[in-house]
Amino acid sequence: MKQFDVVIAGGAMAGMTLALAINKLSDKPLAIAVVEPFKVDHKAHPGFDSRSIALSHGTVNILKSLQLWQEIAQVATPIKHIHVSDRSHAGMTEISTAEVGVDALGYVVELADVGNIYHHLVEQNDDIELLCPASVQAVDRQQGSVTVTLDSGETLQSKLLVAADGAISTCCQQIGLDLLEHDFEQVALIANITTQQAHQGRAFERFTDSGPVALLPMSEGRMSLVWCLKPQDAEHVMALDDDAFLNRLQDAFGWRLGALEKVGQRASYPLLLRYRKQNTSHRFAIVGNAAQTLHPIAGQGFNLGIRDVATLAEEIAQSTQDPGSYDALSRFKQRRESDREATIALTSTLVHVFSNDYLTMRIGRNLGLAAMDNLPLLKAPLLARTLGLVAR
């Protein structure tokens, strides 16, 4: 039986960031195992696939403090300007770097690029052992330790097990932690797009009656599309040829970037809010999508997950004698409670306010967007969440 201080189930963004963060913050190194089913160079890796994510200003600051940003910065595209609008209506608001006084409002990275960087860093770290391909089959907790059985039959023993193994977490199922779900009755369609006009670091979120359309700036002049549609519409749009697809997207998004010229490979997934109220248990903690999977509106999910990861790493680093102690996990749970609840509530409310065409909602949200653009007092809370400047 192999002995570790911490076993992390899941080696995608949340799990790998946590593994690297723990020993950046600890006075003495801890023995860490990362259990991951998919090899990073495998095209089917669900955590490091062709998707892009937006890292908020606050997330970048966290990654800088963990000495992880320098490598990621080389594959990151800065967001200089954010434009939020409502299709066919006057309401809009804008946020720029000049207004906020930062170099970038956030950065867009491709998950595959970050996956390669993280795996290289882990390979160089003698205190982190990557067990791949492997997955957790059984969890057995004792008073002072937790024993994990892998699908290979190998057993690992540690002081703490962290579930970073996705929304349908095997570890959480083994422990018996309830998963709450809400179906937004939307499908996210994702692809990379090229446009007639250069994006110049601009990001766009446009609200339509079926859900938001977001375009994020990427390297090589590309833009990352997240298009939220009703399920029946998504099925139809996915089946269109490229020209018909671009025409339909042009109608939804408008002409702020000129003609939409090319679309890459498309993918889609249903949009559900999944979360576990309880993010700790005996010798057990949850981070990333295993703790909460949010609607992509306003780009909050991953950035919330990184705040979870950073806080847990801090508590583990302060409790190196016993990283799975009741006190360490209690502090982690308490520190994360208000941010988790507020961010989940915010994203869910935004979806319901901005994903319909009811007259009262339409008037209300357009007045809200217009007021937000002109009243700093209203805009400040949105800015704080957008920039990820949230207390931990």
Side-chain angles (χ1 to χ4, degrees), residues 103-321:
D103 292 335
L105 300 169
Y107 291 83
V108 179
V109 295
E110 291 180 73
L111 289 171
D113 289 338
V114 180
N116 288 326
I117 289 167
Y118 276 176
H119 277 256
H120 181 65
L121 291 173
V122 164
E123 283 172 3
Q124 296 177 313
N125 192 314
D126 294 336
D127 300 307
I128 304 173
E129 184 173 343
L130 179 60
L131 302 169
C132 177
S135 58
V136 173
Q137 292 289 92
V139 177
D140 181 30
R141 294 180 291 172
Q142 300 84 41
Q143 184 175 343
S145 65
V146 55
T147 302
V148 173
T149 304
L150 305 183
D151 55 348
S152 63
E154 186 177 6
T155 55
L156 318 175
Q157 190 172 59
S158 74
K159 297 288 179 60
L160 173 66
L161 171 62
V162 181
D165 53 346
I168 310 300
S169 164
T170 301
C171 292
C172 291
Q173 289 172 350
Q174 287 281 328
I175 300 287
L177 294 186
D178 289 341
L179 176 66
L180 302 175
E181 282 192 5
H182 171 71
D183 190 343
F184 290 113
E185 297 178 357
Q186 291 179 1
V187 170
L189 197 156
I190 59 174
N192 293 336
I193 300 285
T194 58
T195 57
Q196 184 180 16
Q197 294 178 18
H199 58 62
Q200 299 176 320
R202 291 174 292 171
F204 297 85
E205 184 144 35
R206 189 160 178 75
F207 298 113
T208 75
D209 57 1
S210 66
V213 180
L215 281 171
L216 302 176
M218 294 174 68
S219 61
E220 302 168 4
R222 297 168 300 158
M223 301 202 81
S224 173
L225 168 71
V226 181
W227 187 5
C228 300
L229 292 162
K230 292 169 183 170
Q232 62 272 26
D233 293 337
E235 190 175 346
H236 171 69
V237 170
M238 279 293 285
L240 296 174
D241 64 30
D242 285 358
D243 288 341
F245 175 88
L246 288 169
N247 286 337
R248 181 77 177 261
L249 177 59
Q250 191 91 61
D251 183 56
F253 177 73
W255 293 85
R256 292 185 187 277
L257 289 164
L260 306 178
E261 294 183 335
K262 287 183 184 175
V263 56
Q265 186 176 352
R266 296 173 238 164
S268 65
Y269 56 94
L271 292 175
L272 304 169
L273 167 63
R274 289 182 167 128
Y275 70 104
R276 291 178 169 86
K277 286 185 177 179
Q278 197 175 332
N279 64 344
T280 62
S281 185
H282 176 65
R283 304 238 161 240
F284 185 71
I286 318 173
V287 294
N289 285 341
Q292 65 269 321
T293 305
L294 308 186
H295 191 287
I297 195 169
Q300 292 292 312
F302 175 75
N303 296 292
L304 173 61
I306 284 293
R307 296 196 291 273
D308 288 345
V309 163
T311 305
L312 181 58
E314 287 167 2
E315 293 302 338
I316 289 171
Q318 290 171 23
S319 308
T320 52
Q321 293 299 317

Side-chain angles (χ1 to χ4, degrees), residues 83-87 89-94 205-207 350 353-354 361-375 378-379 382:
H83 184 281
V84 183
S85 61
D86 197 2
R87 180 173 178 264
H89 303 291
M92 56 175 272
T93 188
E94 300 188 69
E205 184 144 35
R206 189 160 178 75
F207 298 113
L350 284 173
V353 170
F354 284 101
M361 285 288 198
R362 198 169 67 213
I363 293 170
R365 71 190 181 220
N366 277 276
L367 288 173
L369 285 171
M372 201 176 287
D373 208 43
N374 292 295
L375 296 175
L378 284 177
K379 201 167 184 178
L382 174 71

Side-chain angles (χ1 to χ4, degrees), residues 21-40:
I22 290 169
N23 282 337
K24 293 286 185 188
L25 298 174
S26 300
D27 290 334
K28 68 168 194 174
L30 295 176
I32 301 168
V34 178
V35 180
E36 170 54 43
F38 297 93
K39 288 187 178 293
V40 73

Side-chain angles (χ1 to χ4, degrees), residues 67-84:
Q67 298 168 39
L68 295 173
W69 177 244
Q70 188 173 353
E71 288 88 351
I72 296 172
Q74 297 169 29
V75 297
T77 303
I79 298 172
K80 301 284 190 180
H81 185 276
I82 297 172
H83 184 281
V84 183

Side-chain angles (χ1 to χ4, degrees), residues 277 304 336-346 385:
K277 286 185 177 179
L304 173 61
R336 296 306 305 137
E337 198 162 25
S338 63
D339 182 18
R340 287 185 75 217
E341 288 177 359
T343 306
I344 289 168
L346 171 74
R385 286 279 160 190

